[in-house]
């Protein structure tokens, strides 16, 4: 039998096999919380071992994704993480785990190269909140700037709940940065 015929037979049989399995979409929703990973882990174990789920699309928060990725490593379940920016997920080096977005380190390095190399900025200030979303990724940006030879001389934090950021803005104006991130 020719090679081409063998491939077409294998393809036909593979399609027939998959059609016979009749896969179904199962949607699980977990409330966002600090203990999301802990509440999701037992359910993921059930999905992997009892219900024979093929793959997972999930985990939107980095903290939870890190824990969930470690479990998926143990059970050899493929996963697609569409929103994850946690740099530890690609560090796990799990061949059956795919991230769709760049992680914080990759994004910070691209931003730093744009600011310092493409735009030619030298004195850059960071203006951010002290809350979780203000903290996410800023260390990676500081590190990328330092590695490129342009350490960030000023970082100004504000509290979003206060609402009035006049003193912080005055501090930024006084520093006369080339750019504010």
């Amino acid at each position: 039998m020719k090679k081409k015929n063998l491939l077409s037979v294998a393809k036909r049989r593979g399609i027939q096999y998959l059609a016979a399995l009749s896969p179904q979409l199962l949607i699980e929703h977990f409330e966002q919380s600090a203990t999301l990973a802990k509440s999701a882990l037992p359910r993921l174990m059930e999905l992997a071992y009892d219900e024979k789920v093929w793959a997972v699309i999930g985990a939107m928060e980095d903290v939870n994704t890190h824990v969930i990725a470690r479990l998926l490593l143990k059970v050899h379940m493929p996963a697609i993480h569409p929103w994850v920016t946690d740099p530890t997920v690609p560090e796990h080096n799990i061949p059956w785990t795919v991230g769709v977005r760049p992680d914080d380190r990759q994004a910070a390095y691209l931003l730093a190269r744009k600011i310092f190399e493409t735009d030619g900025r030298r004195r850059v200030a960071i203006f951010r909140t002290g809350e979780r979303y203000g903290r996410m990724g800023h260390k990676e940006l500081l590190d990328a700037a330092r590695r490129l030879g342009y350490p960030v001389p000023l970082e100004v934090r504000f509290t979003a709940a206060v609402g009035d950021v006049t003193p912080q803005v005055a501090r930024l104006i006084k520093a006369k940065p080339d750019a504010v991130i």
Side-chain angles (χ1 to χ4, degrees), residues 36-48:
L36 175 64
K38 289 180 183 175
S39 65
L41 290 179
R43 182 63 182 135
L44 279 172
M45 295 294 285
E46 287 175 14
L47 291 172

Side-chain angles (χ1 to χ4, degrees), residues 88-124:
T88 63
V89 173
E91 284 175 358
H92 292 157
N93 207 16
I94 305 169
W96 51 87
T97 297
V98 177
V100 179
R101 291 179 54 174
D103 66 49
D104 286 340
R105 277 184 234 155
Q106 293 168 326
Y109 192 72
L110 287 172
L111 180 60
R113 284 185 55 206
K114 165 82 168 101
I115 292 166
F116 298 111
E117 294 177 354
T118 305
D119 295 348
R121 309 293 182 178
R122 297 296 175 254
R123 285 185 45 83
V124 174

Side-chain angles (χ1 to χ4, degrees), residues 146-161:
R146 182 186 51 77
R147 287 174 184 257
L148 290 172
Y150 305 101
V152 174
L154 180 63
E155 181 180 340
V156 177
R157 283 180 259 162
F158 65 93
T159 304

Side-chain angles (χ1 to χ4, degrees), residues 48-68:
Y49 291 115
D50 300 338
E51 298 184 34
K52 309 287 188 232
V53 168
W54 290 359
V56 171
I57 299 173
M60 291 194 282
E61 281 195 51
D62 296 337
V63 174
N64 301 315
T65 302
H66 177 81
V67 175
I68 290 168

